[in-house]
Amino acid sequence: PGTQAQAAALLYSSSSKSYAFAYTATDSAAPEFIRINAAANPPLRVWTHLTGVYTAAVGANGQRTPADDTLQFFVNGRAQGGPVNLRATAPSYVPWEAGGGLQVGRSIVRGSIGQYFRGRIDEVAVWQSALSAEEVAKEARAYENLSPTVELTADWNAESASGTSIGESTSYPIGSMTLSSSGASLD
């Protein structure tokens, strides 16, 4: 964040019912937001990979050309439209440095902290350079040693059972499994 706003945010918007990538054109009490929305009504309560790419443009002469700075948004490695030119979208856009620490799961608007994310956030990564579409797609895949993988999100091991309850052992907040004569059920 800056003093009044955050520079960028990946979010779920309940009003548009979509994931979005938002960028603040200036650090001010009346910020102008540049926002790219993904398709409405995505599946919820599933692992979703969000990527926002800010590209600080550099001309052929090696000099910064802020008029050509862009944003691009990806969901599960797929581009949500083409790059969006910041100056064309928000004429008030001026490159600014957000000097505060990285915020995860909340935002800062008009100097106030709020808009807390109500869900789980996992595998946060921040890059020092803009990723290409190919690099984003590669980052979004669950691969290890060039082979597709799955991530363990729940683990009920009967060896840890106590009475009719089998505890869950991952870091996810998933309840125990209860056993009965009619079968197993999750709490």
Side-chain angles (χ1 to χ4, degrees):
T3 57
Q4 294 292 315
Q6 73 230 356
L10 293 168
L11 58 108
Y12 177 78
S13 168
S14 57
S15 62
S16 67
K17 293 185 177 18
S18 67
Y19 291 108
F21 179 34
Y23 190 86
T24 308
T26 58
D27 185 15
S28 70
E32 181 176 2
F33 299 103
I34 301 157
R35 190 158 137 172
I36 305 169
N37 287 325
N41 299 311
L44 301 178
R45 295 186 171 103
V46 298
W47 187 88
T48 305
H49 187 273
L50 303 178
T51 305
V53 177
Y54 166 83
T55 303
V58 177
N61 60 2
Q63 299 294 312
R64 275 279 285 122
T65 55
D68 296 325
D69 290 355
T70 61
L71 293 179
Q72 190 159 20
F73 183 42
F74 298 83
V75 176
N76 293 328
R78 292 184 185 95
Q80 304 299 297
V84 173
N85 181 286
L86 293 166
R87 182 77 50 84
T89 305
S92 65
Y93 166 71
V94 176
W96 62 282
E97 184 175 323
L102 178 66
Q103 304 289 306
V104 176
R106 67 180 189 180
S107 65
I108 297 177
V109 178
R110 295 175 191 84
S112 297
I113 295 172
Q115 299 177 339
Y116 295 95
F117 180 72
R118 293 185 175 128
R120 296 184 183 109
I121 298 173
D122 190 18
E123 300 184 30
V124 175
V126 179
W127 300 82
Q128 293 295 324
S129 59
L131 298 182
S132 68
E134 293 78 21
E135 291 168 321
V136 170
K138 183 178 177 184
E139 180 69 16
R141 290 184 291 185
Y143 271 65
E144 188 173 302
N145 298 325
L146 303 176
S147 297
T149 62
V150 295
E151 184 169 328
L152 180 66
T153 58
D155 183 16
W156 295 275
N157 185 339
E159 291 176 353
S160 68
S162 173
T164 60
S165 179
I166 301 175
E168 199 281 324
S169 62
T170 67
S171 61
Y172 293 94
I174 299 170
S176 297
M177 185 181 302
T178 304
L179 303 175
S180 73
S181 59
S182 62
S185 64
L186 297 176
D187 179 3

